[in-house]
Amino acid sequence: DAGVIQSPRHEVTEMGQEVTLRCKPISGHNSLFWYRQTMMRGLELLIYFNNNVPIDDSGMPEDRFSAKMPNASFSTLKIQPSEPRDSAVYFCASSLGSFYYGYTFGSGTRLTVV
Amino acid sequence: AQTVTQSQPEMSVQEAETVTLSCTYDTSESDYYLFWYKQPPSRQMILVIRQEAYKQQNATENRFSVNFQKAAKSFSLKISDSQLGDAAMYFCAYRSALANNDMRFGAGTRLTVKP
């Protein structure tokens, strides 16, 4: 298995632009999580899905952030419009239904908003 | 809400020596899972070891072992025979056994391995 695949690996964009981050979870995993990592706040959960349904989006910072999971093999995290304070590493992770297995993380997308 | 605390922002160890990273957590639940993740400079998050709360026996994975003290809500990671490749950020994480619960992470401990 190729693991959790995220794209792009790096993204540099100008303030005000729309940014879309993509994630392909491991086949068969039915939970998907989006995290944001910064030096100041550490790892923050933004949103997670079970069986493609959003369960908890209380971590989404504001309306500028949105996430979708149209099918079991694809998810997007969109920021519109982007701001410099959105600069961070964004991780996608997936998990089997059993909590024993923990998460498998993607390699992350480093977003820089200038 | 459950919280995870890693009180050591940084630790260092001499190559081939042993080091212990601390983690405590706060929960009112009795059934849960605990994890240690490693994040090297490549930034990939790698699962190191896991522990089920209902198991009294401490988990081990080669040079990595945990000291799980359920009553004290403590979950420390011991790395034996430290290697240069062990240098990384280490995150402790808690996951409830209840359905639809996400994983909570500590702030991390940066481990430096000195040659």
Side-chain angles (χ1 to χ4, degrees):
Chain A
D1 199 321
V4 177
I5 300 173
Q6 288 188 248
S7 64
R9 184 160 173 80
H10 304 278
E11 176 80 34
V12 180
T13 190
E14 292 185 348
M15 183 174 62
Q17 296 298 306
E18 178 180 293
V19 176
T20 300
L21 310 182
R22 297 172 176 80
C23 175
K24 177 179 169 56
I26 290 176
S27 177
H29 282 192
N30 61 349
S31 296
L32 183 140
F33 307 83
W34 282 100
Y35 279 85
R36 178 171 67 176
Q37 185 179 35
T38 61
M39 289 291 292
M40 291 298 294
R41 300 175 68 89
L43 277 160
E44 300 176 277
L45 176 69
L46 299 177
I47 186 172
Y48 74 94
F49 298 83
N50 276 357
N51 297 315
N52 312 338
V53 176
I55 301 300
D56 184 356
D57 66 355
S58 60
M60 296 285 262
E62 46 200 275
D63 292 345
R64 298 185 297 106
F65 285 69
S66 62
K68 293 182 180 179
M69 192 165 186
N71 56 61
S73 59
F74 184 66
S75 178
T76 59
L77 178 67
K78 186 178 293 186
I79 308 172
Q80 166 63 19
S82 58
E83 296 182 3
R85 60 192 168 120
D86 301 331
S87 297
V89 178
Y90 290 81
F91 284 101
C92 174
S94 69
S95 173
L96 285 168
S98 170
F99 305 131
Y100 168 77
Y101 295 102
Y103 296 175
T104 300
F105 282 82
S107 56
T109 295
R110 179 176 294 280
L111 174 65
T112 303
V113 183
V114 298
Chain B
Q2 299 85 11
T3 58
V4 179
T5 302
Q6 293 179 249
S7 59
Q8 307 153 316
E10 296 183 351
M11 291 282 285
S12 67
V13 63
Q14 205 71 33
E15 194 176 5
E17 298 294 308
T18 295
V19 65
T20 298
L21 308 183
S22 300
C23 173
T24 58
Y25 56 94
D26 183 26
T27 184
S28 58
E29 299 172 344
S30 60
D31 196 10
Y32 49 87
Y33 300 86
L34 298 165
F35 304 86
W36 278 98
Y37 278 86
K38 169 185 178 181
Q39 186 179 38
S42 66
R43 82 171 182 243
Q44 179 74 51
M45 294 283 284
I46 302 165
L47 178 62
V48 174
I49 198 166
R50 65 183 134 225
Q51 173 81 41
E52 300 103 306
Y54 63 85
K55 285 190 176 180
Q56 291 186 334
Q57 186 174 6
N58 290 322
T60 62
E61 288 287 343
N62 301 314
R63 299 182 296 106
F64 298 87
S65 61
V66 299
N67 183 5
F68 173 49
Q69 301 289 331
K70 191 172 184 179
K73 297 179 184 177
S74 171
F75 183 60
S76 60
L77 174 69
K78 185 171 81 170
I79 306 174
S80 304
D81 185 24
S82 297
Q83 301 176 358
L84 295 178
D86 295 333
M89 282 288 286
Y90 286 82
F91 294 93
C92 178
Y94 169 102
R95 190 176 192 185
S96 169
L98 297 174
N100 295 339
N101 264 281
D102 62 290
M103 193 177 290
R104 305 287 169 150
F105 288 87
T109 296
R110 181 173 300 281
L111 178 66
T112 302
V113 181
K114 299 178 181 179

